[in-house]
Amino acid sequence: MVSPPTRYLVFFQYFGTKYSGVMETSNDQSIVGVQNYLEKAAQNLRPIVPIKFHISSRTDTGVHALCNAAHLDIQRAPGKPVLSEKQLVLGLNYHLKPEPIRILNAYRVADSFHARFSALSRTYVYRLLMGCRHYSEIPVFERDLCWAPAGGHLNVPAMQDAAQFLLGTHDFSTFRSRNSETPFQSPIRTIVQADVRPSSGFLSHHYEHRGLEFWELKFRSRSFLYRQVRRMVGALVAVGQGRLTPRHIKELLEIKDSRAFPANAMAPPSGLFLKSVEY
């Protein structure tokens, strides 16, 4: 008799530069998604039904995750015991070895659990590097892990003032890019955290003399619209550069039109990290 499938919630991280994003793509593409590698690794666990990862939070090409989440169902052959959480983590990581993808934890969950729809909140962090007059001054160990906006320094207090306008429940139409889901998604989102704080860089104490400063922009909400975080970061950086005022953020929210977003202001993907998914 075939036993019923067992559902697991797994938390995983990845260095996103080499992937087309987290979501699965066709395998004939030169660059594929993180999900492709997760499911390929899972097939080595020899399930009797192919394993599908249901990803909590979509991330774009070049975006990283300190911790994303997914649920999956595993049905084993008759007589095979249910995999323990530790066995699942060790088994997946063994077959993911060549990739910058790691399973952090696994938990058995109820069949009704859904990694995307059961999430209570998601937190993103965007890393900025200030003090670079030219891109060649970005430390080699920070390449693809931060954004060094043109001009070197930013007016951080103005950015912190502007971030306060993003807090609360708003129509974020101006702060979303258009994609296939845009017409079907409500643009209403509630931002419960929008911070601009000093941070540390990788090995930063070795080049303090260069006058480089790392800052983090942190955003938390139950969910975000397509490229919303990168647009919010880009607008706040424009405030820091003096191209916009803090009040402009309020006006952009009130316009409710993605075409009103300043041209070329969206932040690049390299500095963006999905920090956590909370349940």
Side-chain angles (χ1 to χ4, degrees):
M1 181 179 175
V2 177
S3 58
T6 305
R7 181 162 293 188
Y8 300 85
L9 165 66
V10 296
F11 292 98
F12 60 100
Q13 62 182 198
Y14 46 90
F15 184 82
T17 303
K18 67 171 287 187
Y19 305 112
S20 66
V22 71
M23 303 305 290
E24 181 181 26
T25 59
S26 60
N27 281 303
D28 57 359
Q29 292 184 201
S30 57
I31 301 175
V32 297
V34 172
Q35 185 178 354
N36 294 63
Y37 291 96
L38 291 170
E39 292 179 357
K40 182 179 178 182
Q43 293 316 115
N44 288 289
L45 302 177
R46 307 204 180 283
I48 60 174
V49 176
I51 293 173
K52 189 81 175 167
F53 278 69
H54 300 269
I55 309 288
S56 163
S57 305
R58 296 186 179 189
T59 58
D60 285 344
T61 303
V63 175
H64 318 289
L66 296 169
C67 186
N68 203 339
H71 78 259
L72 59 148
D73 295 327
I74 301 180
Q75 193 162 10
R76 307 200 78 198
K80 289 277 187 180
V82 171
L83 285 174
S84 72
E85 294 148 341
K86 184 177 181 180
Q87 286 174 322
L88 179 58
V89 171
L90 291 174
L92 289 174
N93 279 336
Y94 178 82
H95 295 290
L96 286 165
K97 263 193 298 191
E99 297 299 318
I101 305 169
R102 287 296 173 269
I103 307 298
L104 302 172
N105 290 297
Y107 302 93
R108 286 187 64 174
V109 291
D111 292 345
S112 58
F113 179 89
H114 196 288
R116 182 178 177 188
F117 301 118
S118 299
L120 300 177
S121 69
R122 295 163 173 88
T123 302
Y124 282 88
V125 168
Y126 196 99
R127 301 181 68 240
L128 292 175
L129 174 57
M130 302 183 200
C132 288
R133 291 159 297 183
H134 189 265
Y135 73 87
S136 62
E137 296 180 353
I138 300 173
V140 68
F141 301 106
E142 292 286 356
R143 197 183 73 171
D144 298 327
L145 295 173
C146 64
W147 176 29
H153 288 282
L154 300 170
N155 183 343
V156 173
M159 294 170 65
Q160 291 170 328
D161 289 345
Q164 299 308 299
F165 288 112
L166 298 170
L167 287 170
T169 302
H170 305 283
D171 182 323
F172 280 95
S173 292
T174 305
F175 288 89
R176 69 172 170 185
S177 294
R178 294 174 178 271
N179 70 349
S180 59
E181 293 184 2
T182 303
F184 309 104
Q185 277 190 332
S186 167
I188 307 298
R189 292 293 184 274
T190 300
I191 304 293
V192 296
Q193 183 176 13
D195 293 337
V196 184
R197 295 180 179 177
S199 182
S200 59
F202 181 63
L203 300 175
S204 58
H205 58 286
H206 288 292
Y207 41 80
E208 285 174 341
H209 62 283
R210 293 175 54 188
L212 302 179
E213 293 182 12
F214 287 88
W215 290 78
E216 283 186 0
L217 284 67
K218 183 184 287 187
F219 302 95
R220 184 158 60 93
S221 174
R222 181 165 187 182
S223 62
F224 294 88
L225 298 167
Y226 181 54
R227 293 182 174 170
Q228 180 184 346
V229 176
R230 287 171 59 192
R231 282 188 163 220
M232 291 191 299
V233 170
L236 293 179
V237 166
V239 170
Q241 293 171 325
R243 295 189 290 128
L244 296 177
T245 68
R247 295 290 300 180
H248 277 128
I249 302 300
K250 185 174 186 291
E251 291 171 7
L252 287 171
L253 283 168
E254 291 169 348
I255 291 171
K256 303 175 186 176
D257 186 347
S258 62
R259 294 168 295 185
F261 189 77
N264 304 314
M266 184 168 67
S270 54
L272 182 58
F273 296 73
L274 173 60
K275 183 179 186 294
S276 58
V277 183
E278 296 81 26
Y279 294 96

